């Protein structure tokens, strides 16, 4: 039996020496030391031996098993080490190689403009509101002192909804944000300091118009509000949004829902309001030193009444400007066709 054990030892030693992979090694282990391996077979013969011989062989077999296990384990760790060091040669990582930059999105320029406008007005106590963008004729026109069939309505090239007519008239896609005025007055809380920013819709499309655009509508109603307050707020906004050197100008105009009414101009950022550039050329941005922003005026008494407010007690001003138009007048932007804002051309959007 000792001979057989010696032969087994030799077999394991050779097998281990020849094993090139851990799979080879495992095969050797199973063949000699496994549950159905050669050593197990040998041990089955122990009961047939003389008691003294049996004890000796049993001890010897156990010692052999222990040594063989150590041998296999050390060869295994050697093989693992080798395959690891090979890996570092074949799959070397260049840690200095520049990484792949993840694609990072950002807000659309109009969203940014809306956020900025909201923030500027919030600093002087104006609260951003949300009113319907599909509204009744009453709020869009009639309550704003524009009776049915009044020719002034023609200026708001309106989309009408194919929806049931109610006491408040037909439903329209809001052609301006002024529908918020009477809705806000109806709340009956004073002072009213509203900034309503919403989508507006008109049947129009050219370099300075898109059929869906945004307006921001300011409304301030309290006791003793005057044109001086309007001026103050406009100048404040112009300086915050466009820069400290910009000025506003009120030009007489006509709206049905304000009296008196104005168009608001802002001094041109390119020529500094002179209409002439530094190299003595006529300014191509404005031609006359001023850019037209939008409408404003003192809230008409009929509008106050429509909102349930006594015009003898309260006065107020309102203004409503296009977000796209106002934004495109920022210094250095030179957007000469506002339709690019909605073309979804990433080459354009990524610049902001
Ligand atoms: N709603 C007007 C327009 O769309 C602008 C405006 C708002 C004028 C408020 C005066 C007061 O042109």
């Amino acid at each position: 039996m000792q001979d057989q054990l010696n032969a087994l030892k030799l077999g394991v030693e050779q097998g281990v020496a020849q094993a090139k992979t851990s799979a080879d090694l495992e095969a050797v282990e199973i063949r000699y030391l496994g549950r159905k391996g050669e050593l197990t077979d040998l041990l089955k013969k122990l009961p047939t031996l003389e008691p003294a011989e049996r004890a000796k062989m049993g001890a010897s077999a156990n010692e052999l098993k222990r040594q063989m296990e150590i041998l296999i384990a050390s060869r295994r760790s050697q093989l693992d080490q080798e395959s690891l060091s090979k890996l570092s040669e074949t799959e070397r990582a260049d840690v200095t190689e520049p990484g792949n930059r993840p694609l990072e999105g950002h807000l659309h320029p109009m969203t940014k403009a809306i956020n900025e406008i909201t923030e500027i007005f919030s600093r002087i106590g104006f609260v951003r509101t949300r009113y319907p963008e599909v509204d009744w004729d009453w709020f869009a026109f009639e309550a704003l002192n524009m009776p049915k069939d009044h020719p002034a309505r023609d200026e708001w090239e309106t989309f009408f909804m194919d929806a049931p007519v109610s006491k408040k008239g037909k439903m329209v896609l809001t052609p301006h944000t002024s529908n918020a005025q009477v809705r806000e007055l109806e709340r009956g809380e004073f002072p009213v300091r509203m900034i309503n920013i919403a989508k507006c819709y008109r049947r129009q499309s050219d370099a300075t118009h898109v059929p869906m655009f945004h307006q921001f509508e300011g409304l301030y109603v309290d006791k003793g509000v005057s044109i001086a307050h309007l001026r103050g707020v406009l100048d404040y906004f112009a300086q915050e949004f466009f820069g400290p050197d910009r000025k506003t100008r009120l030009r007489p105009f006509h709206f049905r829902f304000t009296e008196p009414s104005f168009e608001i101009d802002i001094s041109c950022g390119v020529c500094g309001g002179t209409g002439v550039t530094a190299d003595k050329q006529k300014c191509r941005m404005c031609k006359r030193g001023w850019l037209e922003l939008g409408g404003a005026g003192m809230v008409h008494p009929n509008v106050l009444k429509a909102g349930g407010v006594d015009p003898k007690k309260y006065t107020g001003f309102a203004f409503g400007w296009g977000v796209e138009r106002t934004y495109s007048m920022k210094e250095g932007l030179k957007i000469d066709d506002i339709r690019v804002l909605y073309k979804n051309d990433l080459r354009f959007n990524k610049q902001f």
Side-chain angles (χ1 to χ4, degrees):
M1 185 145 184
Q2 186 60 54
D3 288 347
Q4 284 172 307
L5 283 175
N6 289 345
L8 193 140
K9 180 169 183 241
L10 208 65
V12 177
E13 282 170 352
Q14 278 175 356
V16 167
Q18 284 162 9
K20 289 199 186 66
T21 66
S22 53
D24 293 346
L25 201 60
E26 199 162 325
V28 174
E29 192 172 21
I30 291 170
R31 174 172 168 197
Y32 293 101
L33 308 180
R35 260 193 313 124
K36 294 176 182 163
E38 291 186 16
L39 186 63
T40 313
D41 281 346
L42 268 182
L43 291 176
K44 278 183 194 148
K45 291 181 190 152
L46 278 181
T48 64
L49 298 177
E50 294 289 311
E53 184 72 1
R54 195 192 303 161
K56 210 174 126 211
M57 283 303 123
S60 177
N62 272 336
E63 175 59 16
L64 178 75
K65 188 174 183 205
R66 201 180 64 81
Q67 285 176 8
M68 294 304 100
E69 279 171 354
I70 293 172
L71 184 70
I72 290 172
S74 80
R75 178 69 181 144
R76 176 166 289 137
S77 77
Q78 200 185 354
L79 282 176
D80 286 351
Q81 204 56 49
E82 277 171 21
S83 74
L84 260 183
S85 62
K86 255 190 236 145
L87 200 69
S88 72
E89 270 168 34
T90 55
E91 295 186 23
R92 181 176 297 208
D94 179 359
V95 293
T96 64
E97 194 179 11
N100 291 332
R101 194 176 280 276
L103 277 178
E104 225 178 89
H106 65 75
L107 296 177
H108 187 272
M110 276 306 100
T111 308
K112 285 190 183 172
I114 288 170
N115 290 346
E116 189 181 347
I117 292 166
T118 306
E119 214 261 318
I120 289 174
F121 280 105
S122 81
R123 273 187 256 140
I124 52 169
F126 281 69
V127 178
R128 168 103 195 254
T129 61
R130 277 276 160 80
Y131 285 110
E133 292 169 355
V134 183
D135 208 350
W136 304 111
D137 182 290
W138 166 258
F139 292 109
F141 292 115
E142 197 150 351
L144 295 174
N145 203 28
M146 283 189 272
K148 279 193 187 60
D149 304 322
H150 195 282
R153 289 181 174 217
D154 290 354
E155 275 168 50
W156 288 269
E157 293 154 276
T158 313
F159 290 109
F160 289 90
M161 300 293 294
D162 190 3
V165 177
S166 87
K167 272 191 298 197
K168 288 187 161 43
K170 290 182 183 169
M171 280 205 126
V172 301
L173 294 185
T174 49
H176 54 180
T177 41
S178 300
N179 67 314
Q181 289 190 20
V182 168
R183 285 186 171 276
E184 179 72 16
L185 292 175
E186 281 179 346
R187 294 179 61 232
E189 281 172 31
F190 297 94
V192 168
R193 269 179 303 191
M194 168 192 92
I195 191 82
N196 181 53
I197 311 182
K199 294 190 184 73
C200 301
Y201 305 85
R202 292 186 201 174
R203 264 196 76 189
Q204 54 184 20
S205 178
D206 58 42
T208 51
H209 299 92
V210 279
M212 188 286 300
F213 58 104
H214 297 80
Q215 282 189 344
F216 57 111
E217 182 98 5
L219 179 67
Y220 179 33
V221 178
D222 202 358
K223 287 180 179 146
V225 176
S226 72
I227 296 175
H229 296 114
L230 172 62
R231 274 223 82 131
V233 168
L234 297 181
D235 280 336
Y236 161 78
F237 174 75
Q239 283 163 14
E240 294 295 308
F241 193 76
F242 295 106
D245 301 328
R246 309 290 283 268
K247 288 185 194 65
T248 59
R249 176 173 86 172
L250 274 59
R251 239 182 325 111
F253 201 72
H254 177 258
F255 292 104
R256 291 282 303 172
F257 37 93
T258 43
E259 182 57 39
S261 301
F262 311 100
E263 283 271 80
I264 310 298
D265 296 336
I266 177 157
S267 60
C268 176
V270 174
C271 63
T274 59
V276 183
T277 53
D279 51 0
K280 302 229 163 29
Q281 300 290 312
K282 192 170 186 177
C283 179
R284 281 204 288 163
M285 180 80 178
C286 66
K287 300 191 184 78
R288 272 181 243 104
W290 297 89
L291 299 160
E292 193 185 305
L293 270 183
M298 300 306 291
V299 181
H300 195 287
N302 288 352
V303 176
L304 291 171
K305 278 189 224 155
V309 177
D310 182 354
K312 290 201 190 77
K313 277 202 206 141
Y314 289 97
T315 51
F317 65 74
F319 56 89
W321 304 343
V323 176
E324 289 79 356
R325 190 181 169 76
T326 305
Y327 185 68
S328 67
M329 286 176 189
K330 272 208 183 219
E331 225 150 304
L333 276 186
K334 301 204 177 111
I335 297 176
D336 52 11
D337 185 337
I338 66 170
R339 287 173 294 192
V340 296
L341 288 168
Y342 296 115
K343 282 215 167 115
N344 275 341
D345 185 337
L346 287 180
R347 287 169 304 178
F348 174 79
N349 289 355
K350 274 182 180 161
Q351 297 174 64
F352 298 90

